Amino acid sequence: LTMKGKFMDILKHTDIHNLEMFENDVVTSQLDKEIDGVKYYGQDVIVNNVRVGSFTKTYKINRTDEMLRTANQHIMQSGINTSNVEIVDKKWSYGGVNQRTITFKDAVLDPVRGDEINPQMIFINSYNGSRKAMIAFGLIRMICSNGMIDVEGHVQFRKHTNNDILAQEYGKIDTFKLTVDNSVKQLQSMNDTVVSLDQVRKTLKETIAKNDVKEKTLMEYIEKNNRGSIDNTNLYVVYNGLTEWATHHDARSTANMNEVYLNRQAELTKLWKTPQFEALAA
């Protein structure tokens, strides 16, 4: 299935070796260009004849298809079953941002609700400098497609200043199965941790919901997921509610929803690591 549009190209398929979405892109750079007698110092990056970004001279283009080819070698070596996968390839911002999501359909069972959860791997690369190149791993509950993905990733690099920014990190794919097993244990532990809704509200106020409107919205998602009493819940419900907000809550009609979802998920990733949330989980 291919959907072409001004804002986004999407290709859904089942073959990790199919890189057609990215391999035909013409990505070039121009240094110190002169236009109409004015000298521009720096490096312009051009994707398929559209200038997508301007950088210092140290910037190096890292092609998405080359990153994915290398990642695929590690995926094959890791022994993960690749014959039963769903892949969504996306490009937006005139090809300036690329994303591949691989969902491994050999599901594991969520220890809490018995829902199917699927391991998922996300690769992000940008030619326009808006996103750092990264590989993120996580679990996704298929029942409502909550994006339980750590979008800061287990692997991250901020600068494109060498020729293969993920070179040191592809090995993390080898520990993918271990990461998934640990995530399942973490869900169980969250389910066993009872917290009061007042504590949750206070934590949100001090971290990601400093304004009342956002705090109210987040609490509504948490309460909607809560099956317990009106005063207490558990951390698994909090986690579910917040991830549902991140991946389902509408934004302004002018917003690019891909960017909105990624930014919200990055916000939640930071939340899980704050002293306030860790105190809740203690």
Side-chain angles (χ1 to χ4, degrees):
L1 167 69
T2 308
M3 285 159 55
K4 291 256 177 206
K6 182 183 165 194
F7 299 112
M8 187 185 305
D9 293 348
I10 299 175
L11 178 66
K12 297 182 179 182
H13 58 95
T14 57
D15 177 8
I16 65 167
H17 300 294
N18 174 349
L19 302 175
E20 68 182 90
M21 175 65 99
F22 311 112
E23 63 192 356
N24 298 318
D25 285 335
V26 180
V27 186
T28 55
S29 72
Q30 292 182 336
L31 275 174
D32 296 347
K33 198 177 177 198
E34 191 171 304
I35 302 172
D36 297 336
V38 179
K39 185 101 172 171
Y40 291 87
Y41 293 98
Q43 181 177 189
D44 284 346
V45 173
I46 294 142
V47 179
N48 303 330
N49 298 321
V50 177
R51 177 180 170 277
V52 296
S54 218
F55 304 93
T56 62
K57 293 179 188 182
T58 54
Y59 179 88
K60 299 278 194 304
I61 290 170
N62 282 267
R63 286 192 59 102
T64 303
D65 50 339
E66 286 166 14
M67 283 169 53
L68 290 174
R69 264 188 208 99
T70 309
N72 283 344
Q73 289 169 2
H74 288 275
I75 290 172
M76 300 306 286
Q77 284 161 11
S78 74
I80 304 165
N81 178 13
T82 58
S83 66
N84 188 16
V85 293
E86 278 179 6
I87 294 166
V88 181
D89 290 334
K90 294 181 182 177
K91 291 193 294 205
W92 65 93
S93 295
Y94 300 98
V97 187
N98 296 179
Q99 177 178 323
R100 163 165 285 191
T101 303
I102 306 175
T103 304
F104 296 88
K105 299 301 286 177
D106 295 343
V108 280
L109 280 187
D110 168 345
V112 179
R113 295 190 182 176
D115 296 339
E116 274 195 6
I117 46 180
N118 292 77
Q120 199 176 67
M121 213 179 262
I122 295 180
F123 297 87
I124 294 174
N125 187 34
S126 73
Y127 299 122
N128 65 7
S130 67
R131 294 271 155 202
K132 51 184 177 274
M134 67 179 193
I135 305 172
F137 307 143
L139 296 174
I140 190 152
R141 257 176 76 229
M142 283 299 134
I143 220 98
C144 68
S145 300
N146 268 6
M148 292 188 184
I149 279 276
D150 174 354
V151 295
E152 280 294 299
H154 294 259
V155 176
Q156 61 185 51
F157 277 83
R158 292 189 183 279
K159 290 184 179 158
H160 285 237
T161 49
N162 52 14
N163 282 330
D164 189 352
I165 38 176
L166 296 178
Q168 304 298 312
E169 299 296 330
Y170 289 115
K172 299 277 176 77
I173 292 172
D174 303 338
T175 62
F176 180 56
K177 189 173 180 330
L178 187 66
T179 303
V180 168
D181 293 344
N182 285 341
S183 299
V184 170
K185 287 194 189 104
Q186 205 178 349
L187 296 184
Q188 184 63 65
S189 153
M190 282 183 166
N191 193 54
D192 295 338
T193 308
V194 174
V195 289
S196 78
L197 288 172
D198 283 345
Q199 280 175 299
V200 174
R201 195 174 281 110
K202 183 171 179 288
T203 301
L204 293 176
K205 261 187 164 64
E206 290 173 5
T207 52
I208 63 169
K210 294 200 161 63
N211 72 62
D212 292 346
V213 175
K214 187 166 178 186
E215 179 222 312
K216 185 170 180 288
T217 303
L218 295 178
M219 287 305 295
E220 278 170 6
Y221 274 91
I222 291 166
E223 285 164 15
K224 190 175 85 176
N225 276 270
N226 194 17
R227 309 275 186 276
S229 73
I230 52 169
D231 300 321
N232 292 332
T233 188
N234 65 51
L235 271 194
Y236 185 67
V237 168
V238 173
Y239 184 66
N240 259 323
L242 293 176
T243 50
E244 188 180 338
W245 162 77
T247 53
H248 286 64
H249 192 66
D250 284 342
R252 296 187 314 278
S253 58
T254 53
N256 177 326
M257 285 314 293
N258 258 307
E259 292 290 338
V260 169
Y261 292 154
L262 282 172
N263 289 335
R264 284 180 188 162
Q265 288 176 288
E267 196 176 12
L268 291 188
T269 298
K270 290 192 180 80
L271 170 67
W272 313 139
K273 293 169 186 164
T274 60
Q276 290 93 332
F277 190 82
E278 285 175 355
L280 267 189

